[in-house]
Amino acid sequence: CRRVGFASLAFASLWAFGLFLANTATRFIDTPMLVANRPWPMPGSAIAATGIVLSVAMMFVAARLHNRPNLLLDLGLGFEVVTAFLIGLLQMWYGSVEANGLSWIAIVILVYPSIAPKAEAVFAFAPTYFTALLAVLPAKIIHGLGRQVRKAKELGAYKLGDPIGKGGMGEVLHAEHRLLARPAAIKIIRPELLGAGPAAAQHVAVERFKREARAAASLRSPHTIDLYDFGVAEDGTFYYVMELLDGVGFEDLIDRFGPLPPERAVHLVQQACDSLAEAHARGLIHRDIKPSNIHAARLGLHVDFVKVLDFGLVKAEQSREQTMLTQPHMTTGTPAFMAPELALGEPDIDGRVDIYALGAVLYWLLTGQLVFAADTPIKMMHRHISDTPEPPSTRTELEVPLELDELVLACLAKDPDDRPATAGDLGRRLAELRFEEPWSEERAMRWWETHLPEPYTPAKCDKGELAPAMASE
């Protein structure tokens, strides 16, 4: 009882001293702290007066409850809570606690258990104090995780947005440049696909990535997607920043609308030939030509404007330096569109592997079907190595000219020497084909206004049996 009485007197004295300093002493004592805090706001004076009255009342009550310790304990704890509440109100109005400062509430909570009439109170509230201490740890962890999430939402100079899609090499996300507010697409590439696995030195993979990214960025064909930026994140993840297209990939185009008229299919593939012709002229091989990597897009006032995407697997023609940076015998690409020599892992390949894949893409546009059907990637590659494809005209209800049939099958020849020599050569042979009603800008515009009048974002759809065949392995 004496301890509670003395504590109540001490609290009353502190409240009175604070009230005196705030309202009287600042008139005579001119210190920076007091001047800065003068005058004490009106609610503060009322709170201090309440604290004085409460403390004095508790002092008198404690002297009369020496025979009722349990009641005194309850009243003492209530006095502690109300005192802490008054301090909290005062600090809210007065603003005396800085971010890293110590609140007087903490002093009250720590000191009062040693004053309470029962020593057991210290142990009774020990779990509460221990829990409060532990609360600091998850707060620190959550704060750190929040910083990591915010940091993960940014990559280089770009803010990351919603996912656009996933492929064999990684995930593609919407992005926006922090300063220019320019929309873009970021492809995040798994390091192991660039030779950054446990058995490869990280710096070798980084050098190879940078070399090939610079090569892809040097392409200037309007039918090659623009590469804005590239880099390596702190965790070793590789990324490309590309232009964001308003259009539809060839894969989604056929899945939604069915096979294309031959004249439109030829018109689209001709443009892809322009992109690959420049790449091959610079000694670059795409190696992953497939329907999902070629888009028909809106570009300015044009529609059906083709863009070739994903030069992430681009491979330069071998030189001694490049051979030292590249893992040999590494098969990459998509089985359903893979040239036989690529499926066999032959080290000496050239642009004709892209010609083969482009022939398979043209086959897909004309028929809505893959050249070969298989339920596993290995079986698919084996069929491309050994089986003879059927002409596209036998697998579609649309009328495919004989010359186009022959050109598609020439692209799909097992021997690279039997294929068109270059992408430019293939483009010229496609341009020489004649149709009763050629595909025109007017026809293309009517199609887009009817089927895709608004900006289009590729939707995820169930592709059934196509999924295992078209998945990158």
Side-chain angles (χ1 to χ4, degrees), residues 7 10-11 14 80-81 83-84 87-88 91 97 101-115 129:
F11 284 136
L14 289 172
E80 178 188 9
V81 171
T83 300
I87 294 173
Q91 289 175 345
V97 179
L102 177 65
S103 170
W104 280 98
I105 297 176
I107 304 299
V108 173
I109 292 174
L110 290 174
V111 171
Y112 201 83
S114 62
I115 300 173
Y129 297 134

Coordinates of all heavy atoms in Angstrom, one line a residue, residues 7 10-11 14 80-81 83-84 87-88 91 97 101-115 129:
A7 N 4.0 5.9 -5.3 CA 3.9 6.0 -6.8 C 2.9 6.9 -7.2 O 3.1 7.8 -8.1 CB 3.7 4.6 -7.4
A10 N 4.2 10.3 -6.7 CA 5.2 10.7 -7.7 C 4.5 11.0 -9.1 O 4.9 12.0 -9.7 CB 6.1 9.5 -7.9
F11 N 3.5 10.3 -9.5 CA 2.8 10.6 -10.7 C 2.1 12.0 -10.6 O 2.1 12.8 -11.6 CB 1.7 9.5 -11.0 CG 2.3 8.2 -11.5 CD1 1.9 7.0 -11.0 CD2 3.3 8.2 -12.5 CE1 2.4 5.8 -11.5 CE2 3.8 7.1 -13.0 CZ 3.4 5.8 -12.5
L14 N 4.7 14.6 -11.0 CA 5.2 14.7 -12.4 C 4.2 15.5 -13.3 O 4.5 16.3 -14.1 CB 5.5 13.4 -13.0 CG 6.7 12.7 -12.4 CD1 6.8 11.2 -13.0 CD2 8.0 13.4 -12.8
E80 N -2.9 2.3 -13.6 CA -1.9 2.2 -14.6 C -2.4 2.4 -16.0 O -1.8 3.1 -16.8 CB -1.2 0.8 -14.5 CG 0.0 0.6 -15.5 CD 0.5 -0.8 -15.5 OE1 -0.1 -1.7 -14.8 OE2 1.5 -1.0 -16.1
V81 N -3.5 1.7 -16.3 CA -4.0 1.8 -17.7 C -4.5 3.2 -18.0 O -4.2 3.7 -19.0 CB -5.2 0.7 -17.8 CG1 -5.9 1.0 -19.1 CG2 -4.7 -0.7 -17.8
T83 N -3.6 6.0 -16.5 CA -2.4 6.9 -16.6 C -1.8 6.8 -18.0 O -1.4 7.8 -18.6 CB -1.4 6.6 -15.5 OG1 -2.1 6.7 -14.2 CG2 -0.2 7.5 -15.6
A84 N -1.6 5.5 -18.5 CA -1.0 5.3 -19.8 C -1.9 5.9 -20.9 O -1.4 6.5 -21.9 CB -0.8 3.8 -20.1
I87 N -1.4 9.7 -20.9 CA -0.1 10.0 -21.5 C -0.2 9.9 -23.0 O 0.3 10.7 -23.8 CB 1.0 9.1 -21.0 CG1 1.3 9.3 -19.5 CG2 2.3 9.3 -21.8 CD1 2.2 8.4 -18.9
G88 N -0.9 8.9 -23.5 CA -1.1 8.7 -24.9 C -1.8 9.8 -25.6 O -1.4 10.3 -26.6
Q91 N 0.5 12.9 -25.7 CA 1.5 12.8 -26.7 C 0.9 12.9 -28.1 O 1.5 13.5 -29.0 CB 2.2 11.4 -26.7 CG 3.1 11.3 -25.4 CD 3.7 9.9 -25.3 OE1 3.3 9.0 -25.9 NE2 4.7 9.8 -24.4
V97 N 6.8 12.7 -28.8 CA 7.5 11.5 -29.1 C 7.9 11.4 -30.5 O 7.1 11.5 -31.4 CB 6.6 10.3 -28.7 CG1 7.4 9.0 -29.0 CG2 6.2 10.3 -27.3
G101 N 11.9 7.8 -30.5 CA 12.0 8.2 -29.1 C 11.3 7.1 -28.2 O 10.8 6.1 -28.6
L102 N 11.4 7.4 -26.9 CA 10.8 6.5 -25.9 C 9.6 7.1 -25.3 O 9.6 8.3 -24.8 CB 11.9 6.2 -24.8 CG 11.4 5.3 -23.6 CD1 11.1 3.9 -24.1 CD2 12.5 5.3 -22.5
S103 N 8.5 6.4 -25.3 CA 7.2 6.9 -24.8 C 7.2 6.7 -23.2 O 7.7 5.7 -22.7 CB 6.1 6.2 -25.4 OG 4.9 6.5 -24.7
W104 N 6.7 7.7 -22.6 CA 6.5 7.6 -21.1 C 5.6 6.4 -20.8 O 5.6 5.9 -19.6 CB 6.0 8.9 -20.5 CG 7.1 9.9 -20.3 CD1 7.4 10.9 -21.2 CD2 8.0 10.0 -19.3 NE1 8.5 11.6 -20.7 CE2 8.9 11.1 -19.5 CE3 8.2 9.2 -18.1 CZ2 9.9 11.4 -18.7 CZ3 9.3 9.6 -17.3 CH2 10.1 10.7 -17.5
I105 N 4.7 6.0 -21.7 CA 3.9 4.9 -21.4 C 4.7 3.6 -21.2 O 4.4 2.8 -20.3 CB 2.9 4.6 -22.6 CG1 2.0 5.8 -22.8 CG2 2.2 3.3 -22.5 CD1 1.1 5.7 -24.0
A106 N 5.8 3.5 -21.9 CA 6.7 2.3 -21.7 C 7.3 2.4 -20.3 O 7.5 1.3 -19.6 CB 7.8 2.3 -22.7
I107 N 7.6 3.6 -19.8 CA 8.2 3.7 -18.4 C 7.1 3.2 -17.4 O 7.4 2.5 -16.5 CB 8.6 5.1 -18.1 CG1 9.6 5.6 -19.2 CG2 9.2 5.3 -16.7 CD1 10.9 4.8 -19.2
V108 N 5.9 3.7 -17.6 CA 4.8 3.3 -16.7 C 4.7 1.8 -16.7 O 4.5 1.1 -15.6 CB 3.5 4.0 -17.1 CG1 2.4 3.5 -16.2 CG2 3.6 5.5 -16.9
I109 N 4.6 1.2 -17.9 CA 4.4 -0.3 -18.0 C 5.5 -1.1 -17.3 O 5.3 -2.1 -16.6 CB 4.2 -0.7 -19.4 CG1 2.9 -0.1 -20.0 CG2 4.2 -2.2 -19.6 CD1 2.8 -0.3 -21.5
L110 N 6.8 -0.6 -17.5 CA 7.9 -1.3 -16.9 C 8.0 -1.1 -15.4 O 8.4 -2.1 -14.7 CB 9.2 -0.9 -17.6 CG 9.3 -1.3 -19.1 CD1 10.6 -0.7 -19.7 CD2 9.4 -2.8 -19.2
V111 N 7.7 0.1 -14.9 CA 8.0 0.4 -13.5 C 6.8 -0.1 -12.6 O 7.1 -0.6 -11.5 CB 8.2 1.9 -13.3 CG1 8.2 2.3 -11.8 CG2 9.5 2.3 -14.0
Y112 N 5.6 -0.1 -13.1 CA 4.5 -0.3 -12.2 C 4.4 -1.7 -11.6 O 4.0 -1.9 -10.4 CB 3.2 0.0 -12.9 CG 2.1 0.3 -11.9 CD1 1.9 1.6 -11.3 CD2 1.2 -0.7 -11.5 CE1 1.0 1.8 -10.4 CE2 0.2 -0.5 -10.5 CZ 0.1 0.8 -10.0 OH -0.9 1.0 -9.1
P113 N 4.8 -2.8 -12.4 CA 4.7 -4.1 -11.7 C 5.6 -4.2 -10.5 O 5.3 -5.0 -9.6 CB 5.2 -5.0 -12.8 CG 4.9 -4.3 -14.1 CD 5.1 -2.9 -13.8
S114 N 6.7 -3.5 -10.4 CA 7.5 -3.5 -9.2 C 6.9 -2.7 -8.0 O 7.4 -2.9 -6.9 CB 8.9 -3.0 -9.5 OG 8.8 -1.6 -9.9
I115 N 5.9 -2.0 -8.3 CA 5.2 -1.2 -7.3 C 4.0 -1.9 -6.8 O 3.5 -1.7 -5.6 CB 4.8 0.2 -7.8 CG1 6.1 0.9 -8.3 CG2 4.1 1.1 -6.8 CD1 5.8 2.2 -9.0
Y129 N 4.7 -9.2 -21.5 CA 5.9 -8.4 -21.9 C 6.7 -9.2 -22.9 O 7.3 -8.6 -23.8 CB 6.7 -8.1 -20.6 CG 6.0 -7.3 -19.6 CD1 6.0 -7.6 -18.3 CD2 5.4 -6.1 -20.0 CE1 5.4 -6.8 -17.3 CE2 4.7 -5.3 -19.1 CZ 4.7 -5.7 -17.7 OH 4.0 -4.9 -16.8

